[in-house]
Amino acid sequence: MQHLVSQDLSFELMTMTPRNAQAFLSQKQPLQAAMLQGSDATFVQICKLGEFYDIHSDVEPLKSSAEIGFCLVYEWINLELDYPELGRVAVVRIRGAAFEDKKSVKCFLKQVEQARKNDPVEL
């Protein structure tokens, strides 16, 4: 991630129908494409940073990678998925977030902790 920050890459947003986004992502991020299957959304936003693509949330993106002050990896999931063209594939899904400053990281972690406390499902 530090390499991306040092490159000062622009975040680009692309708006597509779920069907077009799924077709687009199937070539670059098959796991993300699978997440769009059966979506009833009218439009989906795809965020691009360098060669990385992801489904964009409602959070306003930073303008460039140089604005990232802190990175936080908060989930690491080992998966095995079946792809028609590839067969069974082992993948790792890493979820993380980027923040401008330490205060934003602390706020995010408090929100996550509160959400876990309010979650009726015990993990």
Side-chain angles (χ1 to χ4, degrees), residues 41-71:
T42 305
F43 294 101
V44 174
Q45 283 195 314
I46 305 297
C47 184
K48 177 183 186 249
L49 177 65
E51 295 301 314
F52 296 96
Y53 296 85
D54 202 352
I55 300 168
H56 179 59
S57 65
D58 292 335
V59 177
E60 185 66 29
L62 301 173
K63 298 214 182 323
S64 81
S65 62
E67 294 181 37
I68 297 172
F70 294 88
C71 299

Side-chain angles (χ1 to χ4, degrees), residues 24-42:
F24 176 79
L25 288 171
S26 68
Q27 301 300 313
K28 304 188 181 299
Q29 296 286 337
L31 182 58
Q32 296 297 328
M35 291 172 64
L36 290 173
Q37 196 155 12
S39 173
D40 61 352
T42 305

Side-chain angles (χ1 to χ4, degrees), residues 1-10 49-52 64-66:
M1 191 62 182
Q2 287 304 110
H3 180 67
L4 291 174
V5 171
S6 68
Q7 289 181 1
D8 191 17
L9 300 171
S10 296
L49 177 65
E51 295 301 314
F52 296 96
S64 81
S65 62

Side-chain angles (χ1 to χ4, degrees), residues 64-123:
S64 81
S65 62
E67 294 181 37
I68 297 172
F70 294 88
C71 299
L72 175 68
V73 172
Y74 58 86
E75 192 171 36
W76 187 285
I77 307 168
N78 292 312
L79 301 168
E80 284 195 25
L81 302 172
D82 290 313
Y83 292 106
E85 65 279 357
L86 301 174
R88 192 144 183 90
V89 177
V91 297
V92 175
R93 170 72 172 150
I94 301 170
R95 291 189 179 166
F99 302 91
E100 292 181 78
D101 54 39
K102 207 172 204 173
K103 181 181 176 183
S104 300
V105 176
K106 288 181 180 181
C107 181
F108 175 80
L109 291 173
K110 281 183 183 180
Q111 291 173 343
V112 169
E113 185 59 33
Q114 189 61 44
R116 284 188 177 144
K117 286 180 183 177
N118 294 334
D119 189 350
V121 179
E122 291 185 38
L123 300 175

